[in-house]
Amino acid sequence: MYPRPGDLLTRILATGTFDLLHPGHIYFLTQARALGDELFVIVARDSNVTHKPKPVVPEEQRLEMVSALGIVDKALLGSEKDMFEPLKQIRPDIIALGYDQRFDAEILEKELDKRGLPANVVRVPLSKECPLCSTGAIIKEVLKRYG
């Protein structure tokens, strides 16, 4: 278990693939960080990304990039077996979901309760507006220019 420096600190957890790190990711993590005192980030394993194209950037490199961000207190790779496994170590108070993440907040809260991991689930409502604020947009632009 990750030590908790004080009982009054609010621990936030954000998760994602974080492929081709871009301003939309920074916006999401900044909004998540604003919800509390410590920001933990779980970076999706390559093998677990099944709802969209596989990441371009390998998981260890994506972890390194997210870990280097000043707003992130601790980043780690997710579990390949059980997405709730790292939560047992982190014990977040709040889980921040991105506006486009596929989780249902109510169902996730119920599943967390069943597992003895009570946490509030909060959805960050908006993404940063910019022309290249998504991995898909970046890939399309690269293909347009160089493809």
Side-chain angles (χ1 to χ4, degrees):
M1 185 179 305
Y2 291 101
R4 296 190 67 118
D7 293 338
L8 300 178
L9 294 180
T10 301
R11 186 169 283 181
I12 310 303
L13 173 65
T15 67
T17 306
F18 303 104
D19 195 20
L20 303 177
L21 200 59
H22 56 72
H25 291 133
I26 304 304
Y27 175 82
F28 166 57
L29 293 174
T30 300
Q31 295 301 305
R33 181 72 161 97
L35 296 170
D37 304 301
E38 295 180 293
L39 178 60
F40 281 66
V41 179
I42 296 176
V43 176
R45 304 298 296 251
D46 292 341
S47 61
N48 290 346
V49 179
T50 57
H51 60 289
K52 58 185 177 181
K54 291 290 182 192
V56 173
V57 179
E59 61 190 31
E60 289 292 340
Q61 189 175 332
R62 292 184 284 114
L63 175 63
E64 183 179 350
M65 295 295 289
V66 171
S67 295
L69 299 173
I71 55 175
V72 175
D73 292 293
K74 174 73 177 166
L76 61 153
L77 290 172
S79 168
E80 291 185 289
K81 297 176 186 144
D82 176 7
M83 73 176 211
F84 294 98
E85 186 179 311
L87 279 70
K88 294 173 189 171
Q89 300 298 314
I90 298 168
R91 306 214 49 94
D93 299 298
I94 297 172
I95 297 175
L97 297 177
Y99 78 100
D100 61 348
Q101 286 181 310
R102 59 181 168 54
F103 295 104
D104 179 300
E106 285 184 38
I107 293 172
L108 183 56
E109 279 186 353
K110 287 177 185 172
E111 190 61 34
L112 290 164
D113 279 340
K114 280 189 348 190
R115 293 168 179 264
L117 298 165
N120 293 322
V121 178
V122 175
R123 189 167 299 276
V124 174
L126 299 171
S127 175
K128 183 175 179 69
E129 295 292 328
C130 70
L132 297 175
C133 279
S134 76
T135 301
I138 293 169
I139 290 171
K140 285 178 187 172
E141 184 64 21
V142 168
L143 289 173
K144 184 173 109 182
R145 290 185 191 189
Y146 306 106

